[in-house]
Amino acid sequence: MVRKESEFRTEIREHARGGEGKVIFRHLLESHEYANKGRLMGKIILEPGSSIGTHTHENEMEIYYFLRGVASVVDNGEPCKLYPGEVLLTQSGQSHSIRNDGEENLEYIAMILYT
């Protein structure tokens, strides 16, 4: 199967998980295409000033792979910065939030898998 970028389903969420601004989800694959082993495989775009609020993952894990920009992340209560080429892993029972404090769009690949 091949999917061109023009075929990705795009979803825009305002104030995601209590965050600020809008988050753009470019769904690279749909859940049924990876055997319903998770609920998200997408490219996420946060415009400057946008964020996804703190939330906990239960019975699932989330992986972020950063492509562009600088991410301000709170990983289980610990603030840190993440840069292109770096990864954040949030296991079941753990929490995180993410914010774009930069001047350019923050872009990353996100995958949520069931545990």
Side-chain angles (χ1 to χ4, degrees):
M1 178 190 90
V2 173
R3 176 163 296 136
K4 303 288 187 176
E5 185 174 4
S6 62
E7 300 171 319
F8 298 159
R9 179 171 61 90
T10 300
E11 176 184 0
I12 298 173
R13 294 185 197 165
E14 299 281 341
H15 308 290
R17 304 278 189 166
E20 297 177 14
K22 69 179 180 180
V23 180
I24 302 165
F25 292 80
R26 302 290 316 271
H27 294 270
L28 306 178
L29 295 172
E30 301 297 331
S31 181
H32 69 275
E33 295 172 321
Y34 48 99
N36 294 309
K37 300 291 186 188
R39 64 177 177 90
L40 176 68
M41 172 61 179
K43 179 178 179 182
I44 313 302
I45 303 165
L46 276 76
E47 296 175 338
S50 293
S51 65
I52 298 174
T54 301
H55 59 283
T56 302
H57 288 271
E58 297 293 344
N59 302 311
E60 62 185 23
M61 60 188 288
E62 186 165 24
I63 305 159
Y64 290 168
Y65 176 75
F66 293 93
L67 302 169
R68 179 178 176 205
V70 178
S72 295
V73 171
V74 177
D75 177 35
N76 281 311
E78 296 293 324
C80 64
K81 298 277 187 190
L82 290 165
Y83 301 88
E86 297 181 335
V87 172
L88 172 70
L89 172 61
T90 304
Q91 296 281 6
S92 180
Q94 297 180 338
S95 65
H96 64 167
S97 64
I98 186 167
R99 177 178 199 73
N100 181 0
D101 289 326
E103 307 253 336
E104 66 177 331
N105 283 351
L106 173 63
E107 298 180 6
Y108 58 98
I109 300 298
M111 186 165 207
I112 299 176
L113 301 173
Y114 300 130
T115 57

